[in-house]
Amino acid sequence: MIQRFIELGEGYSDLYELIEIAQNNKHRLLHMAALHSRKEDQSRTSLVVILQPTHPGKFQPLYICREGIPYPHEKPNQRFDLFMQTAEQLNKTVIQFDVKPSALFAEKELFYQYLIGILRLNHYIPEMQ
């Protein structure tokens, strides 16, 4: 199985695309997640839409708006609220984790491998096959 993060941006106008992906793929929607981290002395949140793997092909996309949303518990914001409302409309609970910021990793791919490991360990995505 191939599990890959597909980065849309940092969550400004691309957040609307992330929400459209969730709404238009509700038959494949597995989870919605908010990953919180500290980036440059600011708390930031990455929003993720996780779809079921394709059949055939076994490709599982994880769409992400990386570290562009202010941490909602420190500074409430409409973008996070919109994501939460979408999850509620789709009967999903937003999974929330504290994670290391991407700046701690030499390459963005290493950061995404780290996140895939966390999601696998917590059984939110299938293990390697």
Side-chain angles (χ1 to χ4, degrees):
M1 170 156 339
I2 298 169
Q3 294 160 325
R4 184 170 302 137
F5 275 93
I6 300 169
E7 186 172 320
L8 299 177
E10 294 185 346
Y12 296 98
S13 60
D14 32 50
L15 172 67
Y16 300 104
E17 180 64 19
L18 185 69
I19 289 170
E20 282 292 316
I21 288 169
Q23 291 173 335
N24 291 320
N25 289 283
K26 56 184 154 194
H27 63 286
R28 285 186 60 205
L29 183 61
L30 184 61
H31 298 293
M32 295 175 74
L35 309 175
H36 310 293
S37 61
R38 285 207 55 82
K39 180 181 176 185
E40 299 168 4
D41 295 330
Q42 292 184 342
S43 296
R44 309 302 285 176
T45 297
S46 299
L47 299 177
V48 185
V49 167
I50 304 169
L51 299 182
Q52 295 277 1
T54 59
H55 296 285
K58 301 216 183 262
F59 173 76
Q60 184 171 31
L62 298 96
Y63 292 93
I64 187 168
C65 291
R66 184 175 52 94
E67 298 173 337
I69 310 271
Y71 183 62
H73 299 293
E74 287 180 4
K75 184 178 181 184
N77 62 80
Q78 290 180 341
R79 289 179 287 159
F80 186 79
D81 292 343
L82 183 60
F83 189 76
M84 294 296 282
Q85 289 168 6
T86 301
E88 186 177 314
Q89 291 167 358
L90 297 171
N91 296 317
K92 296 292 179 184
T93 301
V94 175
I95 302 162
Q96 298 194 46
F97 284 106
D98 289 328
V99 298
K100 295 178 183 178
S102 62
L104 292 181
F105 296 84
E107 298 175 21
K108 205 180 330 178
E109 267 315 301
L110 295 174
F111 173 66
Y112 290 140
Q113 288 174 8
Y114 158 73
L115 294 180
I116 285 172
I118 290 172
L119 293 169
R120 281 182 185 156
L121 283 172
N122 288 282
H123 304 286
Y124 289 114
I125 60 175
E127 56 191 48
M128 286 183 67
Q129 298 175 353

